[in-house]
Amino acid sequence: MIAYFSDIYHGLISLLVGMGITFREFIKPPVTVAYPYETLTMCARYRGHIELLADDEGNPNCVVCGLCERACPSECISITSVKPEGSKKKVLTGYTLDFTRCSLCGSCVESCNFSAIAFSREYNLASSRKEDFHIDLFKRLEEKKR
Amino acid sequence: MNSPIQLQPDETFILNVGPQHPATHGVLRVKMEMSGEYIVSAETVIGYIHRMHEKMGEIKTYPQFLMNLSRMDYLGALGYSHGHVLLVEKACAIEVPERAEYLRVVMVELNRIASHLFWFGAFVMDLGGFTPLMYALQDREHILDMLEAVTGSRLTYCYFRFGGLYNDVDDQFITAARTFIPRMRKSLKKYRRLVTDNVIFRKRLTGIAPLSPEMCRKYGASSAVARGSGINFDVRRNEPYSVYPEFDFDVPVFHAGDSLARYMVRMEEIEQSLRIVEQALDKLPDGPVMAAKKPKLIKAPPGDYYQAVETARGSFGIRLVSDGGKTPYRLKLRSPTYSNMHLFDEACQGMLIMDALAFMGSLDLVIPEIDR
Ligand code: SF4
Ligand code: SF4
């Protein structure tokens, strides 16, 4: 009998303690932001999908060595290039990223010795079509140039 | 109008929990034979999210397989990567700079706290209390922010490399980690008052699903499941790896074996992880974070290698058999939750279904890690 009432008493006490904590949290300022009306800036090292980098004139740094293509564990990267007549170097004509398979591991960025690719800070990427994630990075770069 | 089904007194029925049921926290299916509200027998069915990680380990080169490890356990990803890099470094005899090893420990321990916090919130939610989850997530958010600023990702990190780290941390991370420690301690006090000392919570867990040490051994259980049953074993202390011997920390052990004991072990572990982080930050040496001497192409010499680490979910073992090629001959992943989960079938017999779900919560199951 005594145990019964003492249980009720202690139950009530712990209930009040809990409600006290909740009330204190209730009057604290919010810690969340109301996305999409407010957004956070991504940190400098944020790993969005990769992006081609360009030199001062807007031409891609990429020399088509193919190291990134080979380093990628999921074969996300496909590169096309042409070799203009009389030139020794290849010129990049297309760089597609299959983002549906990318795991943002960073192997490609690490393997590139020419600072030609880096992580973007893109994160608003929702789509219902798979094709939207086959990203033509070369075209993106061209568009940026314009 | 439908009339309710009349069961014969000794008739049982099959209740199918999952594979998409919030209580199983993932795609785990449990087939329960019920007699009223009591479980007669249960059978866990796994494999819904099997991704052939071990096979991938055989066909991918060593660096290419790195990111797979963080896809096993999405809550405590870094612990698994740690095991993998340690194993390959052992096999290839790569010397890791001290700073890198210390930072790895800091990261792994922070990740462990984040994982335990999430478990804490989800577990209390399983029992019907929603607000603690919000507090736990708020604290976890601080850790995720810290880790994101360093690694670039929030959950499936790919930060450890053979021979060191992807990049060094900045002062901002050190400051953030230092301010986080007292903050977390304060929160732990709050959790204690809000949840641990709550009479309803205690009554709900005390004496529920007591596991004997024999049973834990039989199924190969580890982590809080074993330590809640009085088995004093922690890979970090019993088979020291990395720089763990440098730190002073306790291994919390409780002997009751019930759900409350498992809960207490994990809550204690948060405090111990904080202690390790604190000491690691104090002792953090300067220097590079990447080995100076590292083979260009990672190839393990022929042989059989094994490395065990203590992850947030228990002892994770990884075995590599190499024939000297670019890819492993065989890569076996021993996932701790796989063993912990198999207790469930035997231990839940005769239990009320609500208690069984509370018990399942206390096992801290992460399904992708079971199926891997
Ligand atoms: S981040 Fe990794 S998976 Fe993604 S494209 Fe680069 S190498 Fe491939
Ligand atoms: S590694 Fe760099 S330079 Fe080579 S193909 Fe890839 S992006 Fe171009």
Side-chain angles (χ1 to χ4, degrees):
Chain A
M1 195 69 185
I2 294 174
Y4 178 74
F5 283 111
S6 106
D7 267 2
I8 292 183
Y9 173 72
H10 285 113
L12 275 177
I13 296 266
S14 54
L15 199 67
L16 285 178
V17 170
M19 276 162 72
I21 290 172
T22 311
F23 182 72
R24 235 169 291 147
E25 293 290 330
F26 180 68
I27 51 178
K28 275 190 194 164
V31 290
T32 48
V33 295
Y35 181 83
Y37 305 107
E38 292 168 69
T39 47
L40 299 172
T41 39
M42 291 292 117
C43 56
R45 287 187 191 172
Y46 181 78
R47 292 188 187 178
H49 68 71
I50 54 165
E51 198 152 42
L52 281 176
L53 296 181
D55 58 14
D56 297 336
E57 283 142 42
N59 298 319
N61 282 348
C62 176
V63 298
V64 202
C65 66
L67 277 182
C68 53
E69 211 174 357
R70 249 173 292 146
C72 177
S74 322
E75 291 164 15
C76 308
I77 300 171
S78 30
I79 305 177
T80 53
S81 64
V82 287
K83 204 168 180 184
E85 213 136 320
S87 157
K88 268 206 187 108
K89 278 193 207 150
K90 286 187 196 161
V91 175
L92 188 71
T93 54
Y95 195 112
T96 343
L97 168 73
D98 183 355
F99 195 54
T100 55
R101 298 158 68 156
C102 174
S103 47
L104 296 171
C105 66
S107 303
C108 51
V109 178
E110 244 177 340
S111 67
C112 182
N113 297 323
F114 300 91
S115 329
I117 38 178
F119 289 114
S120 67
R121 288 196 225 163
E122 205 79 36
Y123 65 96
N124 288 313
L125 288 165
S127 170
S128 54
R129 276 162 26 100
K130 191 167 134 196
E131 292 71 33
D132 287 348
F133 299 107
H134 295 182
I135 306 166
D136 193 339
L137 298 180
F138 190 66
K139 213 164 103 199
R140 269 173 71 97
L141 192 75
E142 297 273 283
E143 272 161 21
K144 227 200 254 164
K145 203 164 135 187
R146 262 184 257 129
Chain B
M1 216 176 92
N2 291 339
S3 56
I5 300 164
Q6 290 296 319
L7 285 178
Q8 296 306 314
D10 56 350
E11 200 176 349
T12 59
F13 62 95
I14 300 287
L15 183 69
N16 188 44
V17 181
Q20 279 124 347
H21 190 277
T24 58
H25 298 292
V27 274
L28 172 69
R29 176 173 164 224
V30 189
K31 244 164 78 183
M32 293 175 178
E33 190 188 352
M34 306 289 297
S35 166
E37 295 236 317
Y38 289 89
I39 297 170
V40 178
S41 67
E43 186 194 340
T44 40
V45 185
I46 56 169
Y48 288 92
I49 192 168
H50 190 57
R51 288 144 300 157
M52 299 177 289
H53 275 310
E54 291 184 3
K55 191 72 202 166
M56 278 193 244
E58 289 170 24
I59 57 173
K60 288 188 182 192
T61 63
Y62 292 92
Q64 285 187 338
F65 189 63
L66 258 178
M67 55 85 191
N68 279 60
L69 271 295
S70 53
R71 264 81 189 169
M72 282 178 63
D73 175 359
Y74 50 87
L75 290 179
L78 282 171
Y80 293 77
S81 311
H82 198 190
H84 183 222
V85 291
L86 284 175
L87 176 77
V88 176
E89 279 156 7
K90 187 156 79 180
C92 302
I94 302 172
E95 241 352 281
V96 187
E98 269 225 309
R99 183 177 170 86
E101 208 45 83
Y102 272 82
L103 284 174
R104 279 179 185 176
V105 168
V106 172
M107 298 281 177
V108 168
E109 292 304 321
L110 284 176
N111 205 193
R112 186 191 313 274
I113 299 172
S115 164
H116 280 2
L117 279 174
F118 196 89
W119 161 81
F120 162 75
F123 178 51
V124 180
M125 197 171 74
D126 282 349
L127 300 174
F130 182 72
T131 28
L133 175 71
M134 291 290 130
Y135 301 147
L137 288 185
Q138 191 186 336
D139 286 327
R140 177 170 171 268
E141 197 60 27
H142 287 273
I143 302 180
L144 293 193
D145 281 349
M146 271 190 273
L147 294 183
E148 184 190 2
V150 174
T151 65
S153 10
R154 292 171 68 79
L155 215 55
T156 46
Y157 316 99
C158 189
Y159 181 58
F160 297 161
R161 292 289 184 275
F162 304 127
L165 304 172
Y166 186 77
N167 42 20
D168 200 354
V169 303
D170 45 11
D171 290 340
Q172 213 186 345
F173 170 79
I174 309 277
T175 329
R178 281 206 190 277
T179 41
F180 173 77
I181 295 167
R183 202 202 131 83
M184 189 65 228
R185 292 219 162 103
K186 221 170 113 195
S187 293
L188 279 178
K189 277 196 200 117
K190 181 166 80 187
Y191 298 153
R192 181 158 199 104
R193 289 200 299 140
L194 182 66
V195 180
T196 317
D197 286 346
N198 188 299
V199 177
I200 304 167
F201 177 78
R202 280 187 169 257
K203 291 225 160 191
R204 188 89 167 72
L205 295 181
T206 315
I208 296 301
L211 302 175
S212 64
E214 290 74 41
M215 190 158 161
C216 290
R217 288 211 181 87
K218 186 166 113 192
Y219 285 95
S222 53
S223 85
V225 180
R227 288 195 284 275
S229 299
I231 298 178
N232 194 347
F233 181 82
D234 187 315
V235 186
R236 286 176 294 172
R237 191 200 54 204
N238 294 61
E239 298 165 14
Y241 57 93
S242 185
V243 286
Y244 279 108
E246 312 277 313
F247 306 124
D248 173 31
F249 64 98
D250 300 325
V251 176
V253 177
F254 285 77
H255 292 272
D258 57 1
S259 295
L260 187 67
R262 289 185 279 280
Y263 168 88
M264 294 306 281
V265 171
R266 291 210 183 87
M267 295 314 271
E268 275 284 311
E269 270 179 12
I270 297 182
E271 170 57 30
Q272 297 307 326
S273 292
L274 285 175
R275 276 178 69 192
I276 297 176
V277 172
E278 206 169 26
Q279 293 171 45
L281 288 177
D282 285 342
K283 290 185 185 171
L284 189 67
D286 284 329
V289 290
M290 198 60 190
K293 269 212 311 262
K294 196 182 122 181
K296 235 188 166 157
L297 187 67
I298 304 247
K299 264 189 195 171
D304 196 338
Y305 311 93
Y306 183 76
Q307 176 71 48
V309 286
E310 186 76 24
T311 65
R313 251 145 282 287
S315 32
F316 167 61
I318 170 164
R319 180 180 172 195
L320 161 72
V321 182
S322 171
D323 53 6
K326 266 196 301 190
T327 59
Y329 174 74
R330 173 86 170 93
L331 198 76
K332 160 83 187 144
L333 307 166
R334 186 248 180 230
S335 75
T337 342
Y338 183 81
S339 312
N340 291 355
M341 181 204 68
H342 280 291
L343 280 167
F344 185 80
D345 293 0
E346 191 180 323
C348 75
Q349 282 168 17
M351 229 187 256
L352 272 171
I353 183 158
M354 290 84 78
D355 289 345
L357 292 181
F359 167 44
M360 189 187 268
S362 78
L363 292 177
D364 191 10
L365 303 180
V366 164
I367 314 303
E369 201 254 18
I370 298 174
D371 281 343
R372 64 199 182 277

